[in-house]
Amino acid sequence: MASIYRIEQHRKVPGRGGTLALLVLLGCCYGFSLFGQYQPPGQTMTRWATPSEAALETDTTSLLWLDQRGGTVIGDKLKKQPQKLTVFGYYRLFLYGRNMTEAYPNLAPYERAYGVGDGYREPMMSLNLLARPNGRSAFGTELFFFTPYIGTNTRATDNVFTVNLGLNFYGNFRTDIGKFGVRAGGIHWYNLSPFTVGVYQLLDRFSIFDRTPWEGVNNTDKYDNYFRSGTPNPGDLRWNNQAFQGLIIDGRSLPGDLGFDLFWGKTQPNGGLANAVIDPNLTIQNPGQAGNIPTYQGFAGTPRVLPNYIAGGKISKIFGTQRNQLALNTIYSHTTLDSISNDNMNYQVHTLSVNWRFGKVYVEGELGGGSFESPITERKWGESLMLRFLIPKEVSILPLDIQVYQIGKDFYNLNGAINTTSNPEIQRNFATNVIAGQVSTGGLLTQVGQLAHNRRGINLNTEAKYKDFKFNFGWGLAGEMEVLNSDISFVHRINGLALSRIYNPFPANATSATVFGPYNRQFSFFRGVAEVVKTTDIDPATAAPLTKKYYSSVDLQAKYKTQLNEKPLYVFYLGNLMAAKSKATLWPTLSPESYLYVQYHELDIYYELFPKFVLTTYLGLERTQGGRFTEWGENDLPRDQTGLGIGAGFDWTLNDATGLYFRYRHMDFEDKNFELDQYKGHEITIELKTFF
């Protein structure tokens, strides 16, 4: 992905004239993770900007270019006014191969596959172009290149050369009454608030063995950063924000310390077309042959223009020298389903958010409501409330991150940080019940800190350090507010990425998820796979669920750094326990009240064997056990799954701008009580990445 810029902005210097400092306040600036990422207002703040946005920075800020090689240099070139056209980017050759020695039924002849790319069509080469004609405007774009290298018979459609994000324009203006900005065209990466336009901010509880497409060339810096702060690399701006296309107008430093955002355009849920074929099974040619691989023809939908947009904004107020903030946020999404009947599908969210400091305690919160309506779903309002308290160790011995929340079942928003996929009245508006890219259907077994509607709950996080060890702990408990859904979903963490490369979740123009497996209960999303569990304690006449469900989760992470033969050695362990039960229990376990109990255990070891040559190893174990009120297999027993992942590889930093990365993964999965649900195989990836 494109390089990004780090902007360290200190207390504002009074004065007038010059150009306006960047107006894009990213959600990740105040949507911080656990300890170490939040910095009190008035002190140095770090935020991330795209190249075009960074080009608008004034000399009142310290602008540094932090490229994905991990190096930091003063970006003097970007401060010049005006600035000529600048071009930079990277080339990423990604070689992929798999051999499924025991595959799911009907995969033949695709058990073996070797090629360039892994099906996601991440850029093979990315060219970033930016320019600033004057001190008040800038524009930029990213050119996207991809070719599968499949020989002389390659179709033109297989080779992609396009403007990946469109042509983006930025304009910033300083006046006597305030600072104003305009963003238009292309794709912008935008956050408003967690409940309106935002994303779930994952803590550092994930394995970093598998490289992400947006990583850079950084030798051991990646592992050292993960040990120290939980962030392996800055990543790319887009992964902490929602993709937005349209017009954004904002204002800051207005009289009374007021500010505003206004926007109109499209997010990903507003990009679909009416009357498209949304069931992949309907596009299969020659069923029963060639593994039933869908062609995905017909997903383009009706070739006509129907209104499909999202609009909204916020009004904010800053208080005092500590820059505390209150904001009123609102969004409205409208989709016209039929031009003749004028049927519409709409949802809206209105909230009040707060970011406030009381002494040494920091409070973040949001309160509001949302609704959904369509021709088959009557509009109802659902409440949303979240309060989060960050208490430093000076106050509580150990630092504490405490979050309480309540989200009503009728609160719905595909653009926010809340999972809103468990209300059957809403989900029936989508034919396959699982939208493309959706992570779950029904009640999701959530990680600590991840919120879902129709739940009331609490999350707790803390951390500690002892000599060369770092520990962090998370605990969460939530209960359903109403008996709503008979489905439960969970994520296959250990080998999910490898499976999603086989059953790609984003074929061209798809509007529903790719459902696969011998029992049609697994579906893929971006770089992962989830599974749906049917519960059986239901009304025999109506199939309605009879019991509320309670969800508990525990995360435990240990990180260790030492020297072996004067070379750095890193050892990371991550354990996750999750359960869904008919009764609330503080600790997730398998018991008679359990619907589902899932364990994940992951061990990563990284060692710099030679200068700039790092050995990488991985061991992952996943155990999933179903309760008596879930589906039974051929043995008249519920799920009893074991997933194993074993990996090895190396990172070889050839120079400051180029790296070679090799990964091997053995994957093994078996459900003892569902005899068809098993697979075994190997995956190899080789990545060559160079920046210029």
Side-chain angles (χ1 to χ4, degrees):
M1 296 299 168
S3 297
I4 58 173
Y5 298 82
R6 187 179 69 181
I7 301 160
E8 293 183 351
Q9 186 164 8
H10 305 273
R11 293 181 66 102
K12 297 181 179 180
V13 179
R16 296 166 54 187
T19 60
L20 171 63
L22 179 67
L23 294 177
V24 182
L25 294 179
L26 304 178
C28 54
C29 298
Y30 57 86
F32 45 80
S33 293
L34 176 66
F35 315 111
Q37 294 194 14
Y38 165 66
Q39 293 165 313
Q43 298 183 11
T44 300
M45 300 291 290
T46 299
R47 53 192 170 90
W48 303 101
T50 60
S52 300
E53 294 166 341
L56 287 172
E57 283 298 316
T58 69
D59 53 11
T60 62
T61 63
S62 171
L63 179 60
L64 298 90
W65 175 31
L66 181 64
D67 66 13
Q68 293 183 358
R69 288 167 288 180
T72 303
V73 297
I74 300 296
D76 290 330
K77 179 170 29 175
L78 291 179
K79 287 178 162 183
K80 294 179 181 179
Q81 302 178 18
Q83 179 180 301
K84 297 181 180 179
L85 185 69
T86 301
V87 180
F88 58 92
Y90 67 80
Y91 174 81
R92 176 180 180 258
L93 177 65
F94 189 85
L95 304 177
Y96 166 77
R98 70 168 178 264
N99 180 12
M100 301 301 293
T101 56
E102 295 181 21
Y104 277 150
N106 297 323
L107 184 59
Y110 297 102
E111 301 97 336
R112 292 186 180 184
Y114 305 93
V116 176
D118 60 358
Y120 282 117
R121 291 208 171 188
E122 301 288 353
M124 180 174 292
M125 184 165 68
S126 173
L127 286 179
N128 291 272
L129 292 81
L130 66 93
R132 182 174 56 192
N134 54 58
R136 294 188 175 184
S137 63
F139 66 88
T141 188
E142 178 186 18
L143 298 181
F144 174 108
F145 299 83
F146 178 84
T147 177
Y149 292 132
I150 58 178
T152 57
N153 294 324
T154 300
R155 297 176 302 166
T157 54
D158 290 326
N159 295 298
V160 179
F161 171 37
T162 184
V163 179
N164 191 26
L165 303 179
L167 187 59
N168 301 313
F169 291 92
Y170 306 84
N172 292 336
F173 308 93
R174 173 177 290 173
T175 71
D176 291 339
I177 63 171
K179 305 171 183 179
F180 302 90
V182 178
R183 284 168 277 172
I187 299 293
H188 300 272
W189 303 96
Y190 184 63
N191 271 3
L192 192 68
S193 73
F195 288 1
T196 53
V197 179
V199 294
Y200 163 55
Q201 299 289 337
L202 182 68
L203 300 181
D204 62 342
R205 295 168 190 154
F206 54 91
S207 169
I208 55 175
F209 173 77
D210 291 299
R211 279 176 55 85
T212 55
W214 49 93
E215 286 189 40
V217 178
N218 46 30
N219 195 31
T220 59
D221 289 348
K222 167 184 175 178
Y223 310 111
D224 195 60
N225 290 339
Y226 186 77
F227 172 78
R228 289 186 294 104
S229 66
T231 304
N233 59 70
D236 190 284
L237 171 73
R238 68 200 72 183
W239 304 110
N240 289 322
N241 294 263
Q242 290 284 1
F244 176 82
Q245 183 179 51
L247 176 66
I248 304 171
I249 302 175
D250 53 46
R252 299 291 183 270
S253 302
L254 302 177
D257 266 338
L258 294 174
F260 71 88
D261 278 39
L262 296 172
F263 64 88
W264 180 90
K266 287 179 178 288
T267 57
Q268 295 179 69
N270 299 100
L273 296 175
N275 294 337
V277 175
I278 60 177
D279 184 355
N281 296 320
L282 297 180
T283 72
I284 294 174
Q285 295 180 350
N286 302 319
Q289 303 177 19
N292 285 343
I293 302 298
T295 65
Y296 301 105
Q297 297 174 359
F299 277 62
T302 304
R304 62 185 180 188
V305 178
L306 295 176
N308 192 353
Y309 64 86
I310 185 171
K314 74 175 180 181
I315 299 175
S316 61
K317 164 71 174 174
I318 301 296
F319 296 88
T321 59
Q322 298 205 7
R323 314 299 292 173
N324 297 321
Q325 184 184 73
L326 285 175
L328 180 63
N329 316 286
T330 183
I331 64 169
Y332 176 77
S333 174
H334 172 90
T335 300
T336 298
L337 302 175
D338 190 280
S339 60
I340 298 177
S341 64
N342 199 30
D343 287 338
N344 302 319
M345 183 171 67
N346 308 313
Y347 59 89
Q348 55 187 304
V349 178
H350 311 283
T351 70
L352 178 67
S353 59
V354 59
N355 294 271
W356 212 275
R357 183 173 178 179
F358 297 93
K360 296 183 178 181
V361 177
Y362 186 81
V363 178
E364 179 188 54
E366 192 162 5
L367 168 68
S371 68
F372 175 94
E373 61 178 333
S374 75
I376 62 173
T377 303
E378 180 183 354
R379 183 171 68 179
K380 299 177 183 178
W381 287 91
E383 75 280 11
S384 59
L385 167 66
M386 182 274 293
L387 284 175
R388 187 177 181 185
F389 305 88
L390 281 100
I391 306 172
K393 62 182 180 180
E394 293 83 0
V395 176
S396 57
I397 302 178
L398 288 177
L400 295 176
D401 178 359
I402 304 172
Q403 182 186 50
V404 294
Y405 64 95
Q406 176 174 311
I407 315 294
K409 69 179 180 66
D410 295 308
F411 181 93
Y412 179 81
N413 181 14
L414 286 176
N415 302 287
I418 301 173
N419 185 281
T420 57
T421 60
S422 66
N423 190 332
E425 292 186 13
I426 297 176
Q427 288 297 108
R428 64 178 178 161
N429 288 272
F430 311 103
T432 61
N433 216 30
V434 185
I435 305 170
Q438 185 172 304
V439 178
S440 72
T441 181
L444 174 66
L445 267 65
T446 53
Q447 294 182 257
V448 176
Q450 188 176 10
L451 308 186
H453 69 168
N454 192 40
R455 294 189 196 176
R456 180 185 296 117
I458 181 172
N459 291 302
L460 169 68
N461 288 287
T462 188
E463 68 175 7
K465 181 179 180 181
Y466 177 73
K467 294 185 178 180
D468 294 329
F469 290 88
K470 286 189 174 183
F471 304 93
N472 64 63
F473 172 81
W475 170 84
L477 177 64
E480 292 184 342
M481 299 168 61
E482 297 184 31
V483 179
L484 198 63
N485 200 300
S486 60
D487 291 350
I488 299 173
S489 298
F490 69 99
V491 174
H492 286 290
R493 286 261 298 272
I494 301 304
N495 294 315
L497 172 59
L499 273 188
S500 73
R501 286 169 170 157
I502 301 173
Y503 303 95
N504 191 284
F506 294 115
N509 300 315
T511 58
S512 63
T514 300
V515 179
F516 65 95
Y519 301 96
N520 291 319
R521 60 193 189 190
Q522 292 156 311
F523 58 94
S524 56
F525 55 91
F526 180 64
R527 295 178 67 83
V529 164
E531 183 170 332
V532 180
V533 178
K534 299 288 185 181
T535 59
T536 57
D537 55 341
I538 58 178
D539 187 309
T542 64
L546 300 175
T547 310
K548 290 183 181 180
K549 299 174 181 63
Y550 297 85
Y551 303 85
S552 57
S553 55
V554 168
D555 297 344
L556 176 62
Q557 185 180 52
K559 297 185 285 188
Y560 176 68
K561 176 185 176 183
T562 188
Q563 295 281 325
L564 180 62
N565 293 328
E566 298 182 350
K567 299 292 179 61
L569 172 67
Y570 304 88
V571 181
F572 304 136
Y573 165 77
L574 176 61
N576 307 95
L577 308 177
M578 300 180 181
K581 298 185 178 184
S582 58
K583 294 183 180 179
T585 57
L586 295 179
W587 197 267
T589 58
L590 183 65
S591 67
E593 296 82 21
S594 297
Y595 292 104
L596 194 66
Y597 176 55
V598 183
Q599 305 177 58
Y600 310 96
H601 302 278
E602 298 178 274
L603 180 67
D604 295 21
I605 301 177
Y606 306 99
Y607 177 60
E608 189 179 25
L609 184 62
F610 307 112
K612 297 187 177 182
F613 187 92
V614 179
L615 287 177
T616 65
T617 61
Y618 172 82
L619 176 63
L621 174 66
E622 176 181 303
R623 286 282 289 135
T624 303
Q625 296 164 279
R628 56 180 177 146
F629 290 115
T630 60
E631 305 155 286
W632 287 12
E634 293 82 358
N635 297 333
D636 289 332
L637 291 171
R639 278 173 177 78
D640 189 356
Q641 300 177 351
T642 301
L644 179 66
I646 303 174
F650 63 80
D651 300 351
W652 187 6
T653 304
L654 303 178
N655 58 46
D656 290 344
T658 305
L660 179 66
Y661 309 93
F662 173 85
R663 294 292 187 271
Y664 164 83
R665 174 183 288 266
H666 168 79
M667 44 188 159
D668 193 329
F669 179 87
E670 179 187 17
D671 192 320
K672 293 181 180 179
N673 299 321
F674 289 82
E675 60 183 24
L676 296 180
D677 200 0
Q678 55 183 312
Y679 62 83
K680 183 182 295 185
H682 313 271
E683 177 189 77
I684 289 178
T685 64
I686 301 173
E687 178 185 354
L688 174 66
K689 194 165 192 178
T690 184
F691 291 82
F692 52 86

